[in-house]
Amino acid sequence: MAGLWGGGTIVNREDKVGNIQINTAEYGSVVPEVLGTTRISGNVIYYDDFQAHEHADRQHAGKGGGQTYENVWYTYSVAVMFGLCEGPISGIGRVWRNKDIFSYPSSAIELTLADGSQTKPWVYVEQHHPAKALSYEGLAYMAGVVNLERSTALPQFSFEVRGKLLETGDGIDVNPADYVLYVLHKVGLKDARIEGIDAFR
């Protein structure tokens, strides 16, 4: 607001957004089981606490009691969980966040892994929204409070999931023989024997 003799402050305020755009949430999607290593986008299974954070800077123009211009803008953050696959898994390798690639763990990712062996809920939800706190036992997921910067959409995340049976192969892929036997045992054929199975090793 300008004073009688000039000066004062003119405020330019950016519109504040009240909702986040979620493009990776799908109700009823299949939970995959990862044998070996593969890249997964994940499915948003929880988000909350979408918050706007106000920022401002000032610039002065003119001499003496010249005009002051204040620019107000917002950055945003959200608490989010990405469901990955059936757990427990061996871990996470690389993480793609938009066009950037990081090796997990990294503070730049802003997400931490629950490998599927957990028996307790994500600590953040347990502390802030206990009525919504679920443990998601048997599900591997990534969770964290993500800085959206000036966007109101989640970054495009994908994750290099190190799944099951890595110890049967080279630490990245699965030994084909163990893969076949695992699938047979999974469907109830635990006594199945395959002649020449060792040739697959």
Side-chain angles (χ1 to χ4, degrees):
M1 181 176 181
L4 181 62
W5 306 107
T9 301
I10 295 176
V11 178
N12 298 313
R13 184 178 295 274
E14 183 180 87
D15 291 336
K16 182 168 64 173
V17 178
N19 293 302
I20 186 175
Q21 301 173 34
I22 299 289
N23 299 320
T24 54
E26 181 182 348
Y27 180 76
S29 64
V30 173
V31 177
E33 183 176 24
V34 175
L35 306 181
T37 303
T38 194
R39 181 174 171 179
I40 290 179
S41 296
N43 187 42
V44 175
I45 58 174
Y46 175 90
Y47 72 94
D48 215 329
D49 294 341
F50 176 71
Q51 296 183 7
H53 308 278
E54 185 173 293
H55 307 269
D57 61 32
R58 290 190 173 192
Q59 296 177 343
H60 300 280
K63 296 181 179 180
Q67 200 74 56
T68 298
Y69 295 90
E70 182 177 24
N71 298 308
V72 179
W73 76 95
Y74 298 91
T75 58
Y76 303 92
S77 63
V78 66
V80 65
M81 299 170 65
F82 292 91
L84 299 179
C85 61
E86 182 179 317
I89 60 173
S90 300
I92 296 292
R94 292 172 294 176
V95 175
W96 289 259
R97 178 174 172 149
N98 293 328
K99 295 181 180 180
D100 298 318
I101 304 175
F102 305 94
S103 294
Y104 181 81
S106 168
S107 59
I109 300 169
E110 300 183 304
L111 300 170
T112 55
L113 173 66
D115 67 6
S117 63
Q118 70 277 354
T119 57
K120 294 183 179 180
W122 178 26
V123 174
Y124 178 92
V125 181
E126 197 170 32
Q127 291 177 345
H128 293 84
H129 306 284
K132 300 179 182 179
L134 302 174
S135 62
Y136 294 102
E137 293 181 43
L139 178 70
Y141 65 82
M142 297 286 285
V145 178
V146 176
N147 175 19
L148 306 177
E149 299 180 352
R150 298 185 74 168
S151 172
T152 57
L154 280 172
Q156 295 294 315
F157 282 104
S158 58
F159 310 92
E160 185 179 51
V161 175
R162 295 173 176 165
K164 302 177 181 179
L165 300 183
L166 298 186
E167 71 282 357
T168 69
D170 58 4
I172 298 174
D173 208 349
V174 179
N175 186 290
D178 292 290
Y179 176 90
V180 171
L181 292 173
Y182 181 86
V183 172
L184 291 175
H185 294 175
K186 190 83 172 181
V187 298
L189 300 176
K190 293 184 178 181
D191 297 326
R193 297 289 183 270
I194 300 177
E195 186 174 344
I197 189 68
D198 287 338
F200 285 92
R201 299 188 188 281

